[in-house]
């Protein structure tokens, strides 16, 4: 045991450590004890999953609270998920049971008795989500000063999940309002296993003085086993479909290759002639299910997916496999946010039980919820970010001596006569490889701290007015902008936001000058969904007898008699109660997966650049299976034959297809530039196709981009879809254009790529 740090702890904390059988304190725990009990600055603790970050923060915090208890919440733990809060609640209760330090939790599933106990006798530690903290302001604003009068510490868990998004800005605004309400400036501790450049995280924790945030990092790298398995999808089995398709005919359809190139055997020809035919009617998801059944037969496993629908279909295939093979037990379960709390908690309990179990899950199990020792992690389709891949990988190998194991399944379209050049590069496989290369190089997406986030500002204006009954415009500006989370706004833009809300009859101004909620604003803030700053939609509960299975968005509710798949089980809709918003179901043999709403994720330019580098390189990563190696070789051959590695563009008839290798924002910026110049364009995941043009006109267009002839605002005005966040619809179009110009476009990178392309054209 690290004697010096241990001796600083309260005797009750020392006893709790002894009773849990700890032989020593981890490095980050020693450093954190010394920092929190020996200094007065903020703290950022960055270490791999299961490294003891929660204890690193709370061992010294509990010691401080036990030595000086006050009639107020003294430590506020903020977590992104209710399940994570419940998990941490049990851990902190165990640590605090030797001392008079109460532990409370407040979220939608907490009982009224628990909440009333905290309001009546606040003290100790409170665990809460940002949305429930928002509800404190709305419903108990007059009590906040008393409840948090002696707040000393704020601990933000899974800090990476709050960076560069709506929830993070919302949380920063709430903490600034709480500080103004109580006059307290608590010390902030951030915890994360997935951080790249810590500069943005330090600014998030302490906007006024990021230099006061001390960083403590874990030691040692985690041993891991990583693999990528590639599949093709199409009509029928991927490989069977490929047998019937001619890859060279698909390449010829691009009209980008010479006769000599087309006569040269393509790598896919060899594969097409060597693979065995798959069983008719079996598609790539059946093959993936069979692989999961074989590799996840023992231990606790997690299979992540980007879309809930894909997880539901995969679960159904796995259940069918278990039944067809007469397995004595079906070990597969589903866990995502559209399932009921009871279904999710049952799955969590099964995962903790120690018997073999595999959960097909969304990001709900990506965080640090303790579900015991996870043997391996799988990923259906590559995630959108390196941070997400790293976070999910870190869910396995959490115990000493264990190896982290991850297998990524990629699905790309089988080549056929209608394949595009982008299709023939197998972009999902390329993205998986690029994510892996960047993850192994320890690169993660940087934090963005300069977004306008006007939708969240609207949310906070309405919240403040609901809390206080009304405030002068100047007071709102000082609270939310000058001293709050929206410091990159000026007073002029803030007043324009107020005018938009007034024009929409959400707020009104009294003769005294005070801003109050109008009747429409009262209705909006009275809705339970108001607490969240992110968008949500009306949902119907899906029930079988007394059991709630989960929820479906109102637009996806099936007609009576139709089948669906939810929680990995098949159901038939028996009754739809529109008044009570319930779909009553019975078990069924048939079923189709509900279509859950979910847009494609945003991809950083660095990832797409790594995809291009992967095509240029000639190495074959050892973590690719044989099919993935063949498809990578084919993609490289296609890119070389099409000239993508030298020219970066392809001319087909009157169209020109350009691969600028930019992320989501940069590609959108180039598309808008083209529309401003009168081009008819189409954009896919990797390229932009300019119709009815030639190389000379296109080059002139690139020159106009490099000459700064138009601003990001002018480009944003060309966007066909302008509303993305919850309260965007309350803003005037001119304000939306400014938001989108700042938050959704990347003018500098697009300009740089145009300059680089012109330079390349000049040399060729």
């Amino acid at each position: 045991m690290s004697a010096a740090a241990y001796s600083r702890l309260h005797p009750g904390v020392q006893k709790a450590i002894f009773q849990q059988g700890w032989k020593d304190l981890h490095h980050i725990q020693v450093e954190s004890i010394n920092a929190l009990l020996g200094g007065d600055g903020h703290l950022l603790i960055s270490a791999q999953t299961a490294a003891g970050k929660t204890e690193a923060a709370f061992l010294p915090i509990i010691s401080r609270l036990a030595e000086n208890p006050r009639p107020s919440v003294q430590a506020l733990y903020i977590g992104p998920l209710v399940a994570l809060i419940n998990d941490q609640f049990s851990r902190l209760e165990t640590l605090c049971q030797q001392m008079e330090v109460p532990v409370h939790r407040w979220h939608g599933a907490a009982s009224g008795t628990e909440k009333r106990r905290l309001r009546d006798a606040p003290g100790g530690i409170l665990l809460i989500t940002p949305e429930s903290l928002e509800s404190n302001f709305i419903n108990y604003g007059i009590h906040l000063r008393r409840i948090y009068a002696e707040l000393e510490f704020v601990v933000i868990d899974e800090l990476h999940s709050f960076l560069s998004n709506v929830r993070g800005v919302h949380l920063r605004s709430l903490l600034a309002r709480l500080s103004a309400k109580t006059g307290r400036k608590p010390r902030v501790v951030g915890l994360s296993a997935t951080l790249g450049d810590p500069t943005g995280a330090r600014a998030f924790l302490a906007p006024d003085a990021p230099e006061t945030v001390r960083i403590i990092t874990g030691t040692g790298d985690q041993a891991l086993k990583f693999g990528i398995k590639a599949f093709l999808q199409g009509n029928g089995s991927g490989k069977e479909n490929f047998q019937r398709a001619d890859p060279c005919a698909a390449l010829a359809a691009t009209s980008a290759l010479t006769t000599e190139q087309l006569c040269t055997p393509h790598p896919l020809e060899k594969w097409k002639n060597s693979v065995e035919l798959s069983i008719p009617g079996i598609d790539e998801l059946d093959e993936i299910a069979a692989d999961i059944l074989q590799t996840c037969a023992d231990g606790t496993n997690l299979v992540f997916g980007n879309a809930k629908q894909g997880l539901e279909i995969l679960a159904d295939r796995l259940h069918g496999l278990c039944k067809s093979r007469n397995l004595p037990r079906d070990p597969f379960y589903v866990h995502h946010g559209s399932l009921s709390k009871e279904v999710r908690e049952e799955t969590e309990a099964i995962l903790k039980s120690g018997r073999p179990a595999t959960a097909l899950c969304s990001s709900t199990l990506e965080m640090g919820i303790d579900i015991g020792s996870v043997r391996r992690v799988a990923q259906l389709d590559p995630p959108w970010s390196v941070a997400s891949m790293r976070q999910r990988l870190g869910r396995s190998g959490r115990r000493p001596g264990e190896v982290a194991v991850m297998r990524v399944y990629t699905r790309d379209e089988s080549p056929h006569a209608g394949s595009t050049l982008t299709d023939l590069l197998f972009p999902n496989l390329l993205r998986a490889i690029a994510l892996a290369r960047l993850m192994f190089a320890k690169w993660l997406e940087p934090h963005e701290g300069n977004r306008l986030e006007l939708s969240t500002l609207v949310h906070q204006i309405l919240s403040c007015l609901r809390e206080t009954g009304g405030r002068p415009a100047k007071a709102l500006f000082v609270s939310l902008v000058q001293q709050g989370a929206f410091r990159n706004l000026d007073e002029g833009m803030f007043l324009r936001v107020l005018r938009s809300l007034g024009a929409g009859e959400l707020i009104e101004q009294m003769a005294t000058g005070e801003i109050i909620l109008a009747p429409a604003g009262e209705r909006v803030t009275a809705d339970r969904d108001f607490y969240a700053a992110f968008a949500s939609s009306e949902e119907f509960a899906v029930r079988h007898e007394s059991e709630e299975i989960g929820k479906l968005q109102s637009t996806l509710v099936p007609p009576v008699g139709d089948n669906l798949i939810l929680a990995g089980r098949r159901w038939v809709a028996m009754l739809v109660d529109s008044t009570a918003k319930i779909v009553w179901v019975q078990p069924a043999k048939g079923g189709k997966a509900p279509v859950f709403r979910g847009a494609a994720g945003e991809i950083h330019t660095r990832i797409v650049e790594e995809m291009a580098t992967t095509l240029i390189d000639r190495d074959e990563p050892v973590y690719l299976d044989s099919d993935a190696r063949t498809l990578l070789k084919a993609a490289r051959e296609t890119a070389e034959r099409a000239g993508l590695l030298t020219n970066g563009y392809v001319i087909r008839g009157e169209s020109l297809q350009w691969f600028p290798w930019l992320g989501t924002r940069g590609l959108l910026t180039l598309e808008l530039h083209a529309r401003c110049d009168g081009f008819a364009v189409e954009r896919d995941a990797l390229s932009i196709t300019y119709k009815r043009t030639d190389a000379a006109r296109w080059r002139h267009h690139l020159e106009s981009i490099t000459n700064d002839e138009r601003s990001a605002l002018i480009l944003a005005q060309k966007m066909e879809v302008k509303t993305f966040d919850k309260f965007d619809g309350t803003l005037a179009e001119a304000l939306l254009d400014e938001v989108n110009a700042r938050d959704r476009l990347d003018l500098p990178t697009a300009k740089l790529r145009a300059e680089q392309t012109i330079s390349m054209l000049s040399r060729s």
Side-chain angles (χ1 to χ4, degrees):
M1 188 68 68
S2 303
Y6 181 77
S7 65
R8 281 187 155 182
L9 297 173
H10 185 275
V13 176
Q14 294 176 354
K15 185 175 181 180
I17 291 174
F18 177 78
Q19 290 179 337
Q20 293 192 50
W22 295 7
K23 296 181 179 179
D24 204 353
L25 295 173
H26 294 174
H27 159 74
I28 60 171
Q29 293 163 350
V30 171
E31 293 293 314
S32 179
I33 290 169
N34 292 331
L36 290 177
L37 296 182
D40 56 5
H42 307 292
L43 199 59
L44 172 59
I45 305 174
S46 177
Q48 66 188 46
T49 304
K53 293 186 294 294
T54 301
E55 289 76 13
F58 276 101
L59 290 177
I61 288 175
I62 294 170
S63 292
R64 180 64 59 85
L65 270 54
E67 292 169 356
N68 185 31
R70 309 295 296 170
S72 156
V73 171
Q74 293 177 268
L76 189 63
Y77 167 98
I78 299 172
L81 297 173
V82 169
L84 181 58
I85 284 176
N86 289 339
D87 183 64
Q88 300 289 35
F89 177 79
S90 300
R91 295 170 69 180
L92 293 179
E93 268 200 325
T94 300
L95 284 175
C96 292
Q97 64 186 0
Q98 303 294 332
M99 295 150 285
E100 298 296 324
V101 177
V103 182
H104 307 273
R105 56 184 165 182
W106 191 309
H107 51 63
S111 69
T113 301
E114 288 180 282
K115 296 175 181 177
R116 186 166 50 253
R117 187 182 303 122
L118 172 69
R119 293 198 308 271
D120 293 345
I125 302 168
L126 171 62
L127 294 83
I128 199 167
T129 63
E131 291 71 35
S132 291
L133 184 57
E134 177 69 66
S135 77
N136 277 197
F137 281 95
I138 296 293
N139 299 311
Y140 307 105
I142 61 174
H143 300 290
L144 288 187
R145 192 186 305 275
R146 174 179 58 84
I147 294 174
Y148 298 101
E150 301 288 344
L151 184 63
E152 294 184 57
F153 298 96
V154 172
V155 178
I156 304 175
D157 203 355
E158 304 291 354
L159 178 63
H160 63 276
S161 69
F162 293 110
L163 298 179
S164 305
N165 61 37
V166 168
R167 290 189 85 194
V169 178
H170 182 207
L171 174 57
R172 283 179 52 201
S173 182
L174 292 173
L175 292 177
R177 288 169 61 188
L178 187 60
S179 182
K181 172 79 71 174
T182 61
R184 303 284 297 181
K185 293 188 179 297
R187 298 173 69 182
V188 184
V189 181
L191 312 177
S192 181
T194 313
L195 284 177
D197 182 359
T199 303
R202 296 175 78 184
F204 184 95
L205 295 176
D208 293 322
E211 70 281 356
T212 64
V213 180
R214 177 179 172 183
I215 301 173
I216 296 175
T217 57
T219 57
D221 291 326
Q222 188 177 24
L224 62 89
K225 293 181 179 179
F226 180 85
I228 295 176
K229 288 181 69 69
F231 295 85
L232 292 176
Q233 58 185 355
N235 298 321
S237 166
K239 291 181 181 178
E240 180 191 0
N241 182 58
F242 185 83
Q243 286 269 26
R244 290 186 270 102
D246 183 351
C248 290
L251 281 169
T254 68
S255 299
L257 307 179
T258 66
T259 302
E260 181 181 355
Q261 287 174 321
L262 290 173
C263 291
T264 304
H266 189 275
L268 289 183
E269 281 291 337
K270 181 180 179 180
W271 192 41
K272 185 183 73 170
N273 295 326
S274 64
V275 297
E276 296 180 0
L277 280 172
S278 298
I279 300 173
I282 301 297
D283 64 17
E284 83 289 340
L285 207 55
D286 290 305
E287 297 180 84
I288 292 172
D291 190 78
I292 291 174
L293 183 63
Q294 179 180 355
T295 57
C296 297
D298 57 344
T300 300
N301 311 282
L302 299 177
V303 179
F304 288 100
N306 300 332
K308 299 172 186 176
Q309 181 184 26
L311 292 172
E312 290 286 1
I313 297 173
L314 181 57
D316 182 63
R317 302 289 178 90
L318 285 163
H319 294 326
L321 273 178
C322 291
K323 185 176 181 180
S324 66
R325 298 185 183 186
N326 296 315
L327 297 184
R329 180 176 168 272
D330 186 334
F332 298 102
Y333 305 87
V334 182
H335 191 289
H336 58 68
S338 291
L339 299 179
S340 69
K341 176 174 71 74
E342 291 75 18
V343 170
R344 295 197 306 270
E345 289 181 347
E346 180 182 2
T347 297
E348 291 163 19
I350 292 170
L351 293 171
K352 291 179 182 179
S353 69
R355 67 176 187 262
T358 297
L360 287 77
C361 54
S362 63
S363 58
T364 51
L365 289 180
E366 186 177 297
M367 307 297 178
I369 302 170
D370 186 6
I371 51 174
S373 177
V374 175
R375 186 178 184 88
R376 62 181 62 81
V377 168
Q379 171 73 42
L380 178 64
D381 303 319
W384 304 108
S385 69
V386 180
S388 184
M389 178 178 275
R390 182 67 191 86
Q391 181 72 16
R392 293 175 179 186
L393 170 63
R395 295 299 284 150
S396 70
R398 292 162 54 97
R399 301 294 184 261
E402 290 183 340
V403 176
V405 180
M406 185 179 207
R407 176 171 290 184
V408 179
Y409 299 102
T410 68
R411 298 183 291 171
D412 283 291
E413 189 174 311
S414 296
H416 55 83
S419 292
T420 67
L421 189 52
T422 297
D423 294 335
L424 297 174
L425 297 177
F426 308 114
N428 287 328
L429 172 61
L430 274 187
R431 189 169 90 243
I433 296 171
L435 290 170
R437 287 166 60 130
L438 292 171
M439 180 177 69
F440 296 144
K442 301 186 183 304
W443 181 90
L444 294 170
E445 290 79 7
H447 166 56
E448 296 178 285
N450 198 36
R451 295 168 64 91
L452 285 178
E453 301 287 7
L454 292 191
S455 172
T456 311
L457 174 62
V458 169
H459 180 265
Q460 290 299 281
I461 289 171
L462 299 178
S463 173
C464 283
L465 296 179
R466 178 80 179 192
E467 174 201 349
T468 62
R471 298 186 73 182
K474 182 65 176 178
L476 283 172
F477 178 74
V478 171
S479 173
L480 296 176
V481 178
Q482 287 186 340
Q483 299 176 358
F486 304 92
R487 301 185 186 187
N488 54 352
L489 272 67
D490 58 31
E491 191 167 3
M493 179 171 283
F494 182 77
L495 292 175
R496 290 166 61 200
V497 172
L498 291 182
R499 293 190 193 105
S500 287
L501 297 180
E505 298 184 346
L506 291 171
I507 64 173
E508 56 187 342
Q509 192 167 28
M510 301 179 67
T512 59
E514 197 171 45
I515 307 294
I516 64 171
L517 291 174
E522 292 280 1
R523 290 192 295 272
V524 168
T525 57
D527 193 312
R528 182 178 178 83
D529 286 340
F530 176 75
Y531 300 149
F534 53 87
S536 58
S537 61
E538 184 179 63
E539 293 181 318
F540 277 60
V542 179
R543 300 189 67 90
H544 170 233
E545 298 178 351
S546 61
E547 178 188 10
E548 180 174 319
I549 311 303
K551 295 183 184 296
L552 288 178
Q553 294 170 1
S554 58
T555 56
L556 306 177
V557 170
V560 171
D562 269 20
N563 295 331
L564 66 143
I565 298 173
L566 192 60
R569 291 180 282 174
R570 301 185 177 199
W571 310 95
V572 58
M574 304 300 295
L575 174 67
V576 177
D577 188 335
S578 299
T579 303
K581 293 184 174 55
I582 298 175
V583 181
W584 295 95
V585 299
Q586 291 287 344
K589 293 184 178 180
K592 62 181 180 181
V595 181
F596 296 98
R597 184 175 300 166
E602 183 173 301
I603 302 177
H604 194 278
T605 286
R606 183 68 188 86
I607 296 171
V608 185
E609 290 174 337
E610 193 67 24
M611 293 170 69
T613 302
T614 300
L615 287 174
I616 295 171
D617 290 347
R618 286 294 175 239
D619 69 306
E620 289 189 350
V622 296
Y623 46 79
L624 300 182
D625 77 335
S626 59
D627 288 350
R629 289 196 298 272
T630 300
L631 292 180
L632 175 59
K633 184 177 180 181
R636 286 169 169 169
E637 182 73 16
T638 297
E640 184 174 353
R641 293 187 184 193
L644 299 184
L645 306 183
T646 53
N647 299 327
Y649 69 95
V650 173
I651 296 178
R652 298 190 304 275
E654 295 183 347
S655 295
L656 184 148
Q657 186 176 8
W658 182 29
F659 287 77
W661 305 110
L662 291 179
T664 305
R665 296 185 192 180
L667 210 55
L668 174 59
T669 304
L670 289 177
E671 178 190 0
L672 296 173
H673 268 299
R675 295 190 185 281
C676 284
D677 278 347
F679 286 92
V681 294
E682 288 183 355
R683 172 168 56 98
D684 62 23
L686 295 177
S687 71
I688 299 177
T689 298
Y690 300 76
K691 300 179 179 179
R692 295 182 298 280
T693 191
D694 55 31
R697 185 187 174 202
W698 176 62
R699 176 167 180 162
H700 179 72
H701 164 65
L702 296 183
E703 290 171 348
S704 74
I705 296 175
T706 65
N707 291 332
D708 283 330
E709 294 180 359
R710 60 181 66 94
S711 66
L713 179 58
I714 292 174
L715 295 176
Q717 291 168 352
K718 287 286 185 179
M719 292 175 63
E720 295 177 352
V721 177
K722 297 179 184 259
T723 57
F724 299 89
D725 293 326
K726 185 172 183 177
F727 289 101
D728 279 352
T730 67
L731 298 170
E733 185 171 321
L735 280 171
L736 285 176
D737 289 337
E738 292 184 54
V739 171
N740 291 327
R742 175 82 68 85
D743 296 353
R744 303 190 182 279
L745 300 182
D746 187 355
L747 195 61
T749 304
K751 177 185 175 184
L752 175 62
R753 192 66 85 242
E755 291 173 344
Q756 292 170 337
T757 303
I758 291 172
S759 177
M760 179 268 301
L761 292 173
S762 299
R763 293 193 302 269
S764 61

